[in-house]
Amino acid sequence: MFKRNYRNETFFLDNSRMINMIQKAYERKRSLSLGRFGIGEISYLSWPTNTLLLEDFKRYQSYAGINGSPDIIKSELLTALKTVDIAGFIMPWRLEYWAQATDRVLENLKFFPKTICCAWLMHDMVHRGTLWTLLNNKKVILIGRRSQEAAPIFMEKGVTITGAFNLNGFEDLETVFHSIVNETDWEIALISAGIPATILSPRIAKYSGKIAIDFGHALDIILDGDSFNHSKLVEEWNSNRNMMDEDS
């Protein structure tokens, strides 16, 4: 079975290496993208070889911004995996089962990105406080359903927020993509929008020539702090969606 060499310093980025890579791209005005391939992404990339993973992920699909067919989502994720500059993967010291599932996906694809990091690296940067030093005085746009809620906190931390774009699901992906690449007054995009964030990151970086980061639940951690509860957010989202469906 394919095994990752996590000690190979040429492609594994820890916290400090990630900061240096982003800072260099910023200073040199070069594009850079980070896409995170977590549980949802690996479940779709395992389709249809392992249908059980996708079946187990169903309760999270709507919250993760997905309502398309598995074949379409898998195709989009494959493109993202092969074009993203940095791929965030689940590491065995975090979730062994899902790290092994990731290895199986990569083995079947016979593909491995040149540069990787832990899928939760941005979460760690928030916890350590290194994110604010990195973003200080930079022009940032936030993308995701909680982006407008989070904007004031970023500004309080010295980050210049030049836009906050809502993105609820896959159906909004193209509209948001065109809005972002046509917007010029920004330098770094932080995308917290489930699986669409993974898909958008390399596309935005490529067509804008700027930095696009799949920010994930790091935004929720900034907003909710120690009270961040992923399961609770999913339950509330699903409950609200069910009520909307009943009223329609």
Side-chain angles (χ1 to χ4, degrees):
M1 181 179 175
F2 177 82
K3 294 292 183 182
R4 281 174 278 179
N5 180 5
Y6 299 104
R7 296 182 181 179
N8 188 332
E9 295 182 356
T10 62
F11 66 71
F12 183 76
L13 300 179
D14 59 12
N15 196 297
S16 61
R17 289 193 181 108
M18 175 65 78
I19 291 172
N20 288 336
M21 197 165 185
I22 294 173
Q23 186 63 33
K24 284 182 180 179
Y26 171 79
E27 292 171 354
R28 297 171 183 175
K29 299 186 183 302
R30 293 180 179 175
S31 66
L32 182 70
S33 59
L34 164 64
R36 300 165 52 258
F37 295 83
I39 291 173
E41 289 81 5
I42 295 305
S43 296
Y44 274 94
L45 287 171
S46 298
W47 171 270
T49 304
N50 189 340
T51 58
L52 183 60
L53 292 184
L54 202 54
E55 185 67 27
D56 290 342
F57 188 70
K58 273 189 174 181
R59 70 179 294 262
Y60 300 97
Q61 283 178 339
S62 178
Y63 183 80
I66 292 302
N67 56 5
S69 75
D71 291 328
I72 293 175
I73 303 304
K74 179 177 181 178
S75 176
E76 293 279 3
L77 285 171
L78 280 173
T79 299
L81 177 64
K82 293 182 178 181
T83 57
V84 76
D85 295 307
I86 307 165
F89 289 145
I90 301 171
M91 296 296 157
W93 55 83
R94 299 292 290 262
L95 290 173
E96 175 66 29
Y97 173 84
W98 286 101
Q100 291 179 4
T102 302
D103 285 347
R104 284 191 291 271
V105 165
L106 298 173
E107 182 180 32
N108 290 336
L109 293 174
K110 294 181 173 56
F111 175 81
F112 191 75
K114 293 180 180 179
T115 307
I116 68 171
C117 68
C118 176
W120 289 282
L121 186 59
M122 287 294 150
H123 303 52
D124 293 338
M125 288 176 66
V126 171
H127 286 305
R128 296 183 185 189
T130 53
L131 175 74
W132 306 119
T133 302
L134 174 65
L135 298 180
N136 189 258
N137 291 324
K138 293 181 174 66
K139 294 181 179 180
V140 175
I141 56 172
L142 302 176
I143 305 170
R145 65 173 66 108
R146 303 188 76 184
S147 59
Q148 294 181 2
E149 181 185 357
I153 299 177
F154 279 79
M155 289 187 284
E156 288 172 5
K157 295 290 187 177
V159 183
T160 302
I161 298 296
T162 60
F165 296 80
N166 186 44
L167 200 168
N168 270 323
F170 188 72
E171 67 276 9
D172 300 327
L173 194 149
E174 292 299 328
T175 301
V176 171
F177 167 72
H178 289 293
S179 297
I180 299 305
V181 297
N182 289 328
E183 178 66 49
T184 59
D185 191 28
W186 64 277
E187 296 160 328
I188 299 176
L190 300 181
I191 316 167
S192 294
I195 292 177
T198 310
I199 297 169
L200 270 178
S201 172
R203 288 178 59 183
I204 289 177
K206 177 182 178 181
Y207 288 97
S208 68
K210 299 179 182 182
I211 301 169
I213 296 172
D214 176 359
F215 200 52
H217 289 298
L219 192 74
D220 294 318
I221 294 171
I222 289 171
L223 283 166
D224 300 338
D226 293 337
S227 63
F228 166 63
N229 186 321
H230 179 231
S231 295
K232 183 179 179 181
L233 289 173
V234 173
E235 289 174 5
E236 291 175 350
W237 174 262
N238 288 338
S239 177
N240 290 335
R241 295 286 289 189
N242 291 334
M243 289 176 61
M244 290 173 60
D245 290 341
E246 290 174 0
D247 291 340
S248 61

